[in-house]
Amino acid sequence: MAKKGEILLTVTSQDGLTDIVLDLYENISIPTTYQFSNVQDFSKTNSNHSQNFRIPGTPKNNDFFGSQYNVNISGTFNPKKKATAVLSYDTLPQINGYIQLKNVIVQKGRFVEYEVVLFGDVANFGAEVGDKRSEEHTSELQSRLHIVCRLLLE
């Protein structure tokens, strides 16, 4: 159970089978930006996101990232593939989306930490919708709603 004022970063393995609460630095501060979407132009959709921040190279974090710091060790984490993540404060989700590995910091030949960033799900939605016009989505949603209503009335 999370302690009062605790920040949790829960990630899902890229195979989608395991949820992991990554280790964070004590008293970590994760600067975040919250943005509202432009519902008229889905191609310009902005999303909640964090600034880059660092997490320690603990055994748990190393297991998740698959030893990205060492090219001689094979792992399952693919930095080019999205991994689902939820950033929570006091158990309340702040950003639901995905985590991106930006950098692995090695100092004096010794692995130290991971630099990551979080992006909210709205970024995914904007990328998937792209240049489609909102009228196209509205008519599709209306037809789906019509089908659901018809099934409920039967």
Side-chain angles (χ1 to χ4, degrees), residues 35-110:
Q35 298 184 344
F36 295 96
S37 299
N38 180 351
V39 296
Q40 297 299 318
D41 187 354
F42 290 111
S43 66
K44 295 180 182 172
T45 301
N46 293 318
S47 177
N48 299 339
H49 62 277
S50 72
Q51 300 285 327
N52 290 7
F53 62 97
R54 293 181 180 187
I55 60 175
T58 63
K60 184 192 298 187
N61 293 352
N62 292 346
D63 283 347
F64 176 74
F65 287 111
S67 302
Q68 290 294 311
Y69 62 93
N70 187 342
V71 294
N72 296 320
I73 300 174
S74 63
T76 58
F77 186 82
N78 180 351
K80 295 179 182 184
K81 188 176 172 187
K82 293 177 182 174
T84 303
V86 178
L87 179 67
S88 302
Y89 178 75
D90 277 344
T91 70
L92 299 172
Q94 302 297 308
I95 296 179
N96 287 303
Y98 61 94
I99 190 170
Q100 182 181 30
L101 178 63
K102 300 296 278 181
N103 195 11
V104 177
I105 292 88
V106 177
Q107 294 178 349
K108 297 181 182 174
R110 206 174 120 243

Side-chain angles (χ1 to χ4, degrees), residues 87-140:
L87 179 67
S88 302
Y89 178 75
D90 277 344
T91 70
L92 299 172
Q94 302 297 308
I95 296 179
N96 287 303
Y98 61 94
I99 190 170
Q100 182 181 30
L101 178 63
K102 300 296 278 181
N103 195 11
V104 177
I105 292 88
V106 177
Q107 294 178 349
K108 297 181 182 174
R110 206 174 120 243
F111 168 69
V112 180
E113 56 197 355
Y114 297 100
E115 184 176 351
V116 298
V117 65
L118 296 172
F119 295 97
D121 278 335
V122 175
N124 283 339
F125 180 71
E128 290 171 10
V129 171
D131 294 330
K132 293 182 181 178
R133 294 178 26 211
S134 61
E135 295 86 20
E136 293 173 42
H137 297 291
T138 303
S139 63
E140 183 180 336

